Amino acid sequence: MRPQSTRDAYHLLERWQQVVIMRLRTGHCRLNAHLFRKLKLTPSPTCPCGLEDQTPEHVLMTCPQLKPIRDKVWPASVPLRTKLYGSRQDLEATTSFVSQTKLMV
Ligand SMILES: [Zn+2]
């Protein structure tokens, strides 16, 4: 039996990348929706784009303000599940996207 962690591309990432992926997977991150709902640290759960709560899914999949970066990292559309639980390459694309957005997750 191989332990769970060796079946997950997550363990192949660098430490900072693991932190980003884990925060996005759990939603325990510094995006507005979590800070507001759980910790009351921001005045609003809404993304700066004003359309939706600033959740990992919104940032990774739909936020129009991040579309130029998203299109550069993922020229073809990629499902959220792949962005968070895909291969090492998929996860590295996600961490690259997050670092280019300059968002603190
Ligand atoms: Zn947005």
Side-chain angles (χ1 to χ4, degrees):
M1 286 286 284
R2 300 158 72 198
Q4 175 70 32
S5 63
T6 65
R7 276 185 266 122
D8 187 342
Y10 172 85
H11 83 286
L12 299 170
L13 300 175
E14 291 178 36
R15 175 70 191 151
W16 73 271
Q17 294 174 312
Q18 292 180 339
V19 169
V20 166
I21 294 293
M22 189 50 67
R23 286 182 178 156
L24 293 171
R25 285 179 178 179
T26 60
H28 291 179
C29 57
R30 283 175 262 180
L31 299 176
N32 285 350
H34 180 70
L35 294 182
F36 178 78
R37 296 247 150 68
K38 297 289 194 297
L39 308 169
K40 303 283 186 229
L41 289 176
T42 49
S44 151
T46 308
C47 180
C49 74
L51 293 178
E52 285 187 295
D53 285 2
Q54 191 183 37
T55 61
E57 180 173 9
H58 174 73
V59 165
L60 291 173
M61 303 300 290
T62 58
C63 182
Q65 288 187 349
L66 304 177
K67 186 173 179 352
I69 302 172
R70 195 181 300 113
D71 288 350
K72 193 161 47 133
V73 173
W74 295 289
S77 92
V78 169
L80 182 63
R81 197 171 165 77
T82 302
K83 292 180 179 180
L84 294 181
Y85 298 94
S87 68
R88 179 182 187 173
Q89 253 181 336
D90 293 320
L91 301 182
E92 285 182 337
T94 301
T95 59
S96 165
F97 170 79
V98 169
S99 58
Q100 289 180 66
T101 64
K102 310 267 198 297
L103 284 169
M104 302 283 290
V105 298

